[in-house]
Amino acid sequence: MTDALQSLLVIAGPTACGKTAAAIEVARHFDGELVGADSVQVYRGFDIGSAKPTLDELGGVAHHLLDVLDPDQDVDAVAYANLADAAIRDIRDRGRLPIVVGGTGLWIRALVRGLVDVPPVDPEVRRRLEKTAASGGGGALHARLGQVDPISADAVHPNDTLRIVRALEVYEQTGRPLGTLRAEHALGAPRYHAMLIVLDTDRDHHGAVIERRTKQMLEAGWAEEVRSLRTRWGDDVRPFSSVGYRDVLAHVRDEVPLEETLRRVRKSTRVYARRQRTWFKSEPGVSWRCESAELREPDGLDRIAKDLGL
């Protein structure tokens, strides 16, 4: 790629920590455009539960890689990096600043550093592991992953069978944990010189934000959105396995009471945020850890300008 090793601003962090609002303000200040790094916001129709920014919230700031896939399409980290590369080139060619924003850590790593070289899928190993998962052993697979590859286990939700199976495949084929391989690879040569800013906030405050945002999403019609998506796409599209959406799907499909759904979404979101923190805490090359408000203050904007040579 022609723009390898150019500077790149990345704003990352756990869900509900103010990344998008901060990135919009930074984009306005520096005449920039946003490039999403969110594995649910890429899908058309998955709007409320992914906190996809509205046109009013964007206020004229361009945001790339929103609504680029139908829910029955799949995208992995390598495919994402290719899409993001193209968006970054386009933004730079028009003389503007690309700003990557999102919380999907593996996608950000793939974009900034590339991914570890692992063996191809062994069909026999995959069939065996998928059979175990299908027979009710998903929890057992996650527990096994925790024994042989605790880094990956801590970063993957117990219901994310696809990623659990892949991590176990790599371990069985190489004898080494995928989490360790990725950590070693992350120390190698990057694809971009990234100013990686990780936003976060006080845990108690963050819990209150998650509670408030979950209620607002449900009041805004999240269940109705899921009903509409389910009618068109069925229950098995990948974004329905994402945090929050799987709980609201259970509410719509299985008539789980709304109060219980609220509790489940709050819990799964907090667990997801903890996993994101673990990921970004171990990510090398972080330039700055701060709260959203700090980033938007004059000192924060000056620091970005200095580090990027703007």
Side-chain angles (χ1 to χ4, degrees):
M1 50 183 279
T2 58
D3 57 355
L5 301 185
Q6 292 192 18
S7 295
L8 182 66
L9 175 59
V10 181
I11 300 174
T15 186
C17 70
K19 297 184 297 294
T20 300
I24 290 170
E25 193 156 335
V26 171
R28 289 194 182 115
H29 186 83
F30 292 110
D31 192 26
E33 299 183 13
L34 306 184
V35 179
D38 187 297
S39 60
V40 183
Q41 291 183 359
V42 293
Y43 289 106
R44 301 181 185 98
F46 283 75
D47 303 333
I48 296 174
S50 71
K52 191 178 295 178
T54 65
L55 291 176
D56 285 345
E57 289 168 338
L58 288 169
V61 173
H63 198 321
H64 303 259
L65 302 192
L66 300 180
D67 299 321
V68 295
L69 298 174
D70 285 330
D72 61 346
Q73 295 177 282
D74 200 3
V75 59
D76 60 15
V78 173
Y80 163 76
N82 291 333
L83 290 170
D85 284 339
I88 290 165
R89 282 194 296 270
D90 173 60
I91 294 167
R92 283 206 177 110
D93 287 346
R94 289 183 284 104
R96 311 195 76 182
L97 175 69
I99 303 168
V100 176
V101 57
T104 304
L106 181 60
W107 283 16
I108 293 171
R109 181 180 289 178
L111 174 64
V112 173
R113 311 198 68 87
L115 292 179
V116 63
D117 185 21
V118 294
V121 172
D122 183 321
E124 291 187 9
V125 174
R126 172 155 292 191
R127 278 195 296 269
R128 172 168 50 79
L129 292 170
E130 287 179 341
K131 184 177 180 181
T132 301
S135 63
L141 283 184
H142 189 264
R144 186 193 307 175
L145 184 62
Q147 293 175 346
V148 301
D149 185 356
I151 296 175
S152 294
D154 197 48
V156 175
H157 192 278
N159 293 336
D160 194 343
T161 304
L162 181 66
R163 289 186 173 88
I164 293 170
V165 166
R166 183 57 182 146
L168 287 171
E169 286 173 354
V170 170
Y171 181 77
E172 291 197 16
Q173 291 177 252
T174 67
R176 300 195 68 201
L178 179 58
T180 300
L181 293 173
R182 284 174 171 164
E184 292 173 354
H185 172 76
L187 299 174
R191 301 173 78 241
Y192 292 93
H193 288 308
M195 181 184 184
L196 174 55
I197 300 173
V198 175
L199 302 184
D200 205 348
T201 189
D202 174 80
R203 305 296 172 86
D204 291 337
H205 173 69
H206 195 209
V209 171
I210 290 171
E211 168 108 14
R212 182 171 62 252
R213 191 175 77 160
T214 301
K215 289 181 178 178
Q216 290 171 344
M217 287 174 170
L218 290 168
E219 291 169 356
W222 194 0
E224 289 72 21
E225 176 181 278
V226 167
R227 286 190 185 95
S228 177
L229 289 165
R230 186 183 182 218
T231 297
R232 182 171 183 185
W233 301 104
D235 295 355
D236 297 326
V237 291
R238 184 167 183 177
F240 269 148
S241 68
S242 63
V243 171
Y245 272 102
R246 57 177 167 263
D247 301 312
V248 179
L249 177 62
H251 166 65
V252 169
R253 181 188 59 204
D254 305 325
E255 299 184 351
V256 174
L258 189 60
E259 191 61 32
E260 172 63 12
T261 300
L262 176 62
R263 186 194 68 79
R264 291 183 183 184
V265 174
R266 287 197 308 257
K267 180 179 178 181
S268 61
T269 304
R270 288 195 299 266
V271 170
Y272 179 52
R274 186 174 69 243
R275 294 180 186 280
Q276 289 175 298
R277 284 191 181 94
T278 298
W279 179 281
F280 289 117
K281 187 176 181 179
S282 64
E283 194 71 358
V286 174
S287 305
W288 189 18
R289 299 182 187 273
C290 63
E291 294 201 10
S292 174
E294 294 179 69
L295 184 63
R296 292 184 274 182
E297 292 172 353
D299 287 349
L301 296 171
D302 287 347
R303 177 169 178 172
I304 291 172
K306 181 179 179 180
D307 284 7
L308 294 179
L310 299 176

